[in-house]
Amino acid sequence: MVKLLEGKNIVIMGVANERSIAWGIAKSLHRAGAQLIFTNRQERSYKKLSKLLEKHNIKAKLMVNCDVASDESIQQAFGQIKEEVGVIHGVVHSIAFANREDLKGAFYDTTRDGFLLAHDISAYSLVAVTKAARELMTEGGSIVTQTYLGSERVMRNYNVMGVAKAALEASVRYLAEDVGKEGIRVNAVSSGPIRTLSAKGVSGFNDINSIIEEKAPLRRSVDQDQVGDATLFFLSDLSRGVTGEVLHVDSGYHIIG
Ligand code: NDP
Ligand code: N5H
């Protein structure tokens, strides 16, 4: 395999466990020769990730704590990365959160606090992370986030998260314009449904997953490795002409009427 990311330092935010999309991405990037820096919010995720790295014989360059709800935490995390690693070439943002009660029923029942929380963690965090990361991207870089079709269409129960993902995708475009002149690209992968810890327990996941297998052109569901390889494309030079883009990795489901 061509080592597309040899000598590149990439920050991966959002591995909670083996099922995380960010873990699928970590494996793809590792195979491509990248040096990986991880950020976690919860201690539980840190422990799970440490075990996974050991099991897969991957050595992290650095692991730092980062809660994107806090500007201070973001500054501290990227400050530590700057001190210990120096230059970075990429960031994978694979983070979202909404209160469970806001992921069912009527969208108009979303509270002000619930709306703000979902937008803060799932959309604003990309803005704050881009600001912190660009300082370390002195050789140019690539930032990739994860979105979902519920930003473009009404998907039952996705509710406030659909609105937050629409804000995230618009943020990708505005950020791409801001940092393009610094040789930094910003893109999003719009993945089909994947059974992860976040998806667990939210109503409607199973129904949507089986519809993909039935209706998508490829007639199969998407997995973390497919999203990993698409994210690798965005982080590598192969996508050097692409920025502000949303790439659907969904077995083609979004083209079906
Ligand atoms: P996971 O549950 O595996 O990952 C979600 C991650 O978000 C966790 O690692 C969690 O960290 C992190 N997170 C939540 N709040 C914060 C915070 N305040 N600060 C830092 N990190 C935080 O689920 P997925 O892999 O499914 O989700 C990753 C991304 O993929 C999300 O943006 C999601 O919307 C998107 N996506 C998922 C799809 C799916 O079907 N699964 C489809 C399309 C997009 P911690 O565990 O430490 O709290
Ligand atoms: C249409 C659907 C199904 C319904 C909606 C699902 C939305 C999920 C997204 C958010 C991120 C889930 C979420 O915030 C769950 C939390 O309330 C509770 N979970 C946690 O706190 C766990 C422990 C931690 C790790 O989770 C987080 N996020 O920190 C969409 C699905 C078909 C596709 C999908 C699942 C999309 C998506 O964006 O994730």
Side-chain angles (χ1 to χ4, degrees):
M1 185 192 181
V2 196
K3 297 271 185 186
L4 289 169
L5 296 180
E6 193 84 72
K8 304 289 183 196
N9 296 324
I10 313 284
V11 178
I12 301 185
M13 313 179 78
V15 179
N17 60 28
E18 192 159 18
R19 285 171 178 253
S20 292
I21 289 177
W23 177 247
I25 296 170
K27 286 185 292 175
S28 290
L29 305 192
H30 172 71
R31 277 195 294 270
Q35 299 288 317
L36 304 178
I37 297 137
F38 293 92
T39 78
N40 294 105
R41 171 179 57 161
Q42 298 186 73
E43 176 73 16
R44 183 183 64 176
S45 312
Y46 172 82
K47 285 187 178 151
K48 291 248 178 197
L49 174 60
S50 303
K51 285 206 179 114
L52 274 175
L53 289 168
E54 206 179 295
K55 182 174 148 193
H56 290 259
N57 214 6
I58 300 176
K59 203 170 156 15
K61 194 149 187 177
L62 182 66
M63 288 169 78
V64 293
N65 184 264
C66 184
D67 181 347
V68 297
S70 151
D71 289 336
E72 211 186 342
S73 176
I74 294 172
Q75 267 168 21
Q76 212 185 332
F78 281 87
Q80 199 180 332
I81 296 169
K82 189 178 183 177
E83 238 167 64
E84 297 190 32
V85 179
V87 178
I88 62 168
H89 305 93
V91 173
V92 174
H93 173 278
S94 189
I95 290 173
F97 190 89
N99 289 326
R100 193 159 279 175
E101 64 265 27
D102 291 330
L103 298 170
K104 59 180 179 215
F107 171 57
Y108 59 62
D109 279 331
T110 310
T111 59
R112 192 182 295 268
D113 281 352
F115 187 96
L116 291 175
L117 176 68
H119 283 70
D120 186 14
I121 306 304
S122 318
Y124 178 73
S125 63
L126 182 73
V127 181
V129 163
T130 299
K131 187 179 167 105
R134 63 176 277 278
E135 305 258 335
L136 283 65
M137 291 181 159
T138 49
E139 298 171 1
S142 170
I143 297 171
V144 187
T145 189
Q146 302 298 320
T147 187
Y148 179 63
L149 187 63
S151 62
E152 303 167 59
R153 298 193 203 159
V154 174
M155 312 291 280
R156 186 157 299 134
N157 298 321
Y158 203 58
N159 294 5
V160 71
M161 189 53 70
V163 181
K165 290 297 192 190
L168 178 72
E169 291 172 23
S171 302
V172 163
R173 293 185 281 273
Y174 280 90
L175 291 168
E177 161 57 19
D178 281 350
V179 297
K181 42 191 166 308
E182 298 164 18
I184 302 169
R185 299 182 290 108
V186 187
N187 292 288
V189 170
S190 184
S191 165
I194 300 180
R195 203 176 297 279
T196 61
L197 186 56
S198 279
K200 212 173 140 185
V202 291
S203 352
F205 178 85
N206 289 341
D207 305 343
I208 293 177
N209 205 26
S210 53
I211 290 171
I212 293 269
E213 287 170 10
E214 195 189 307
K215 292 204 171 148
L218 294 176
R219 305 288 197 281
R220 58 170 190 246
S221 57
V222 170
D223 65 29
Q224 291 87 338
D225 295 346
Q226 294 167 13
V227 177
D229 286 348
T231 304
L232 164 60
F233 163 72
F234 274 141
L235 288 166
S236 82
D237 228 35
L238 292 180
S239 62
R240 62 195 175 282
V242 187
T243 195
E245 188 64 286
V246 178
L247 176 66
H248 294 82
V249 180
D250 65 348
S251 294
Y253 179 73
H254 71 287
I255 67 168
I256 300 297

